[in-house]
Amino acid sequence: MPHRLAVTTSYSSRQMQTSLSRRLTVGDVAAYLSQVEDRVSASTLEVAHPVQPDQTLDALNLHGGDRVVVFMQPPRPATLPATARPGDHTLTLRSGTTEFHSRGKRKLLVGRPDDVQGVIPDVDLREVVPPEHIDYVSRSALWLIYEGETWYVARTGQNQVMVNEYSVGEQRFPVSHGQRISIYRGSDNIAQSRPLVEFAVTVRTVAKDNSPQPTIEYGQERVSLRMGSEHTELNLRASGNITVEQLLAGIVEHSGHPQLLQQAQAYHMRLVAPAQRLPALDLQTDDFLYAPLHTQLTRSTLKLRDVHGHHIFDISAAGQDEEKRIGTRLQPNEFLNTIDIDLYDAFAATGNAPYVHRIRSPFLLRVNYHADEGIWWGRIAERSQIPVYLNTERLTSRAMPLTPGDVLTLGSNTSDYFARLEADVTNA
């Protein structure tokens, strides 16, 4: 009988071995994890049972809502996070509308995940650095360390790091409330370059008269807890005779990391009623309770399609205000890193190569993404020599919103032009 199967891959995970009170429910544990871990938000947890390679899908006894999670490599051992204590200083990093919180943690890794090495940063820079620039970010860009009532920045990767106007070198550097942490490419000239991301720092003291901090009651019930960073879920339709070994081989091949096949382990996941007490789960040696680590990678992408060619130009913003520059190189073999979208090919498609018309400035448009509104705005570039029309209205230095279906026309008028672009906006 064919099965509809939800399969998720997890490259990086942390596992904690602990002993908890037998009075606790699964909901109690989920609530605690949601308080101490910035990327967990759960009212209950899943119980995970390992499945063997020779088992068939029919043998898994899948119920509605069950899924299979394939952990591509073993978890990294970790300690159950503690809550912040009265007198502690908690740290918040804010970029645009995105915030990262230390909660009770005393060390935060800032960087980007590594599927093969199993790195899970506490501050995932994919959430705030545009995708076209994320390859310039080290997997371990820096650590934030709380020690002696002070937070410190320790640079560990290739990126240059600034705290306000001070460059962080080999020695860790103190950071305090109201300062800014800026991360640059390793090769950037900081005096002339914009940072890949800039964080506003907030440091707060946990007051003694605050509302009680969440606690967890320890005891004699041995429990394994795992938190994992997941990839997109696949919805498969597969025969019940397929073995887990065959399923794993297909999933690993799809992942593009065939070298991980020998380490991959599949688990049958089932949500537990939050009122279920821990002893009633009867967890075996290789079973664990599981919570996914949520990552908000929502980005707004402005797509411009050349109506006379096959070119689609994309620019993205990730959770913060962004300004992008649209223009054209002036010669066919010229390279410009001062513009984000080069319309040279769109000009050439209409027979209007810039050098033929003696166009002198490469700058045509400036577009801004306003994170609080979720809207792209466009305006004419200061040195532009070419008029630009949004639908039928000529752009000026006053910004106008760009919406799906809008048409940008670059030329003397809407019928005699150098390039015409259809706009679309996607959020994903």
Side-chain angles (χ1 to χ4, degrees):
M1 177 181 176
H3 290 269
R4 291 188 181 275
L5 184 65
V7 180
T8 304
T9 53
S10 175
Y11 289 88
S12 309
S13 60
R14 304 173 183 149
Q15 187 149 326
M16 300 154 285
Q17 305 287 344
T18 188
S19 295
L20 300 176
S21 168
R22 291 173 176 168
R23 292 195 293 266
L24 292 176
T25 66
V26 174
D28 293 332
V29 180
Y32 182 79
L33 289 178
S34 298
Q35 288 293 325
V36 298
E37 175 56 57
D38 203 24
R39 290 186 287 161
V40 170
S41 177
S43 59
T44 190
L45 304 173
E46 291 174 295
V47 63
H49 302 291
V51 293
Q52 301 308 313
D54 59 352
Q55 284 185 273
T56 64
L57 296 187
D58 279 340
L60 296 186
N61 189 27
L62 296 167
H63 294 181
D66 290 2
R67 63 180 183 141
V68 171
V69 175
V70 177
F71 292 94
M72 304 295 278
Q73 48 201 336
R76 293 194 170 195
T79 303
L80 185 63
T83 57
R85 299 168 298 190
D88 283 349
H89 301 293
T90 60
L91 181 77
T92 298
L93 300 179
R94 186 176 188 273
S95 174
T97 59
T98 302
E99 291 186 349
F100 301 92
H101 305 274
S102 66
R103 299 185 185 263
K105 291 183 179 179
R106 283 163 166 70
K107 290 185 71 177
L108 298 175
L109 176 63
V110 180
R112 63 184 173 98
D114 183 289
D115 287 347
V116 176
Q117 297 182 19
V119 174
I120 306 179
D122 300 284
V123 177
D124 188 343
L125 293 180
R126 295 178 304 167
E127 300 185 37
V128 289
V129 173
E132 62 268 25
H133 297 152
I134 195 64
D135 286 343
Y136 296 105
V137 173
S138 295
R139 291 161 179 82
S140 173
L142 62 96
W143 280 93
L144 291 160
I145 303 166
Y146 181 59
E147 188 175 289
E149 299 187 357
T150 300
W151 281 96
Y152 295 90
V153 176
R155 176 186 167 192
T156 53
Q158 298 301 312
N159 294 97
Q160 298 184 72
V161 180
M162 300 286 291
V163 176
N164 283 6
E165 69 272 23
Y166 299 102
S167 177
V168 179
E170 295 181 359
Q171 302 298 318
R172 64 185 191 179
F173 193 89
V175 62
S176 57
H177 182 81
Q179 291 186 318
R180 302 181 314 278
I181 298 175
S182 304
I183 301 175
Y184 293 81
R185 297 176 180 87
S187 59
D188 277 347
N189 179 340
I190 291 178
Q192 299 177 0
S193 302
R194 296 174 60 192
L196 295 170
V197 63
E198 184 173 85
F199 291 110
V201 177
T202 301
V203 178
R204 292 189 176 91
T205 303
V206 179
K208 294 181 180 180
D209 58 351
N210 250 6
S211 57
Q213 294 293 307
T215 58
I216 195 80
E217 186 179 355
Y218 294 92
Q220 301 302 313
E221 187 68 23
R222 293 289 296 168
V223 178
S224 291
L225 301 171
R226 188 182 292 194
M227 297 180 290
S229 180
E230 298 184 353
H231 280 224
T232 303
E233 185 175 83
L234 301 173
N235 291 293
L236 307 179
R237 186 175 178 84
S239 166
N241 295 323
I242 287 180
T243 65
V244 171
E245 184 176 29
Q246 292 172 308
L247 178 68
L248 281 175
I251 294 297
V252 173
E253 181 180 0
H254 181 269
S255 75
H257 297 290
Q259 73 276 18
L260 299 180
L261 180 59
Q262 297 303 314
Q263 303 180 72
Q265 172 67 59
Y267 285 82
H268 175 193
M269 299 288 193
R270 179 169 293 170
L271 281 169
V272 183
Q276 186 95 330
R277 294 193 182 276
L278 296 180
L281 297 174
D282 192 27
L283 296 176
Q284 303 303 303
T285 303
D286 294 327
D287 297 343
F288 54 84
L289 289 172
Y290 176 73
L293 292 168
H294 298 290
T295 302
Q296 301 297 326
L297 296 180
T298 299
R299 293 187 177 90
S300 179
T301 300
L302 175 63
K303 295 177 176 287
L304 300 175
R305 186 180 69 85
D306 170 21
V307 300
H308 289 283
H310 301 287
H311 308 101
I312 298 178
F313 308 97
D314 291 354
I315 46 177
S316 296
Q320 60 183 337
D321 291 353
E322 296 272 0
E323 181 177 78
K324 305 289 185 179
R325 290 158 293 188
I326 299 175
T328 176
R329 63 186 187 275
L330 303 180
Q331 296 292 332
N333 297 322
E334 186 178 16
F335 172 75
L336 289 175
N337 62 2
T338 54
I339 54 178
D340 298 287
I341 286 181
D342 182 356
L343 297 179
Y344 183 92
D345 292 334
F347 276 51
T350 60
N352 289 295
Y355 65 90
V356 174
H357 293 272
R358 302 184 183 276
I359 298 171
R360 293 185 177 85
S361 173
F363 302 104
L364 303 171
L365 274 168
R366 290 185 180 271
V367 292
N368 293 81
Y369 178 69
H370 293 182
D372 56 343
E373 302 170 327
I375 296 175
W376 290 91
W377 295 76
R379 59 187 174 91
I380 196 77
E382 289 79 1
R383 288 179 279 169
S384 176
Q385 298 171 263
I386 301 173
V388 180
Y389 295 85
L390 176 58
N391 300 324
T392 59
E393 187 171 351
R394 184 168 175 171
L395 284 180
T396 65
S397 58
R398 180 177 62 87
M400 295 178 62
L402 303 175
T403 58
D406 282 343
V407 176
L408 289 167
T409 305
L410 296 89
S412 57
N413 55 60
T414 57
S415 58
D416 180 18
Y417 52 82
F418 292 94
R420 175 170 282 178
L421 308 166
E422 292 180 347
D424 191 15
V425 179
T426 61
N427 294 284

